[in-house]
Amino acid sequence: MLKSEMRKLLSLPKLLILIIAFVIFYMLFFRPNLDIAKQDTSLSMQYEISEDLIEKYGTELDSSEYEDLCANIPQRPESEIDRWIRKHEEYTELGITTFEDLEKALESLPTETAAILSGNLNIAFSQDEQADIRHELLKIQYLESIAEEYSTRQTINGSIGSGQLSSRTLTEMELQSLMPDYPVTYFLRLVSDYFLFMVFSLIMLIVPYSVKDNMSNMKPLLYTTKRGRHLYKLKRNAVLLGCLIIITAEIAVLFQFTWRNNFWFCKDCYITGFYSSFISAFPVTFGNYMMICAGTLLILCILLAGIIFVLAEISGNYVAALAWQLPVIICTFIFSIKFAVHFFDISQGFSVPLLLLFTSAASAGTLYFYRHRELFRTGLF
């Protein structure tokens, strides 16, 4: 019987529709973020330097390695572009004497002035020549920022020791982590969009499966048989098991994305480090953090599957079923926007575990009361 219900839930047409929906989500949401991560010059530079540093120093930086890092930070090169800029008054009059000065000034200058200055430079030098200098400067700035963060580490540790950051537990090892920023940023963006797809996939699977029997008025007939009176329990188990299989497969695809986009080279680094803007609520490596996020999504989706199932079971048609799903959809968007992009960071603290407890209570309560309703209807209570 369970196999029969599983075949209804995970029928071939539904799985094909699910694959099509995944392709649409991939083109609209997943791929753009991943493409930005690949094409952004500063991110590609950060990746290259971080990988080199981790290979050379390991996942953390100690005092001797810090001194070696400082000694090997390249000096800013004197480029042909710098010499060209100093020969033109329209740049020097604004205090711009180097290409680096120009890059910073373009952000604050009036649009017309910035367009003239950048246009003149583009005429004199190709984009490739500018990109080479820009890449070198970004590398120097990145290394300098790591060195600067290391120099303030003792101050941060002192603040923690004096209780000024009593709500935050940071280990010295975590503060010395060489974790770059972009893997966490883009992983969380991917998780935020991916969670939406996971919940929509549950709705696409469960609603047709549950509503079909209601529309055909099969339940009263089924309740006249001994097996039919246990239909609810059978369908519930099929839904939870089927959703577990589907969500596990979707999480496997999620990790395939992270593997193909080179997020795993820093898996042993503590997630909070010199250059990482993410401050976790507790010390954890990036690899473990991804596993925690995946486990949280899995548990949350299974709990939501129970709620989606009950809401679909009380619906007499597809329109009513989708209307009943609106609270789940709204909560999914709120979680995706507010929590998924800040999984277990210092601003959220332990709000995600509390949310899991609340969802567990809601799911268990919904399944329990609906079970008793069905028992009353079948005369088994």
Side-chain angles (χ1 to χ4, degrees), residues 14-85:
K14 289 180 184 177
L15 294 179
L16 290 176
I17 293 173
L18 197 61
I19 292 172
I20 294 171
F22 176 81
V23 173
I24 294 173
F25 265 78
Y26 176 78
M27 299 299 294
L28 293 178
F29 301 105
F30 310 150
R31 184 175 178 180
N33 277 333
L34 295 173
D35 285 346
I36 291 173
K38 291 178 181 178
Q39 297 168 5
D40 192 305
T41 303
S42 63
L43 291 180
S44 61
M45 176 276 306
Q46 189 185 128
Y47 168 80
E48 294 172 6
I49 298 175
S50 298
E51 191 173 33
D52 291 340
L53 290 176
I54 291 172
E55 183 178 351
K56 183 176 181 180
Y57 299 122
T59 58
E60 299 101 30
L61 203 66
D62 60 27
S63 57
S64 61
E65 291 168 341
Y66 163 71
E67 294 174 359
D68 182 72
L69 173 67
C70 292
N72 287 284
I73 295 178
Q75 298 296 316
R76 282 169 167 72
E78 176 72 16
S79 66
E80 183 65 30
I81 297 179
D82 295 337
R83 290 189 286 270
W84 181 87
I85 287 175

Side-chain angles (χ1 to χ4, degrees), residues 98-107 121 130 134 137:
T98 65
F99 181 70
E100 186 177 10
D101 294 339
L102 177 61
E103 292 276 283
K104 295 177 181 178
L106 290 176
E107 299 175 1
L121 187 67
Q130 295 180 49
R134 188 177 292 111
L137 290 173

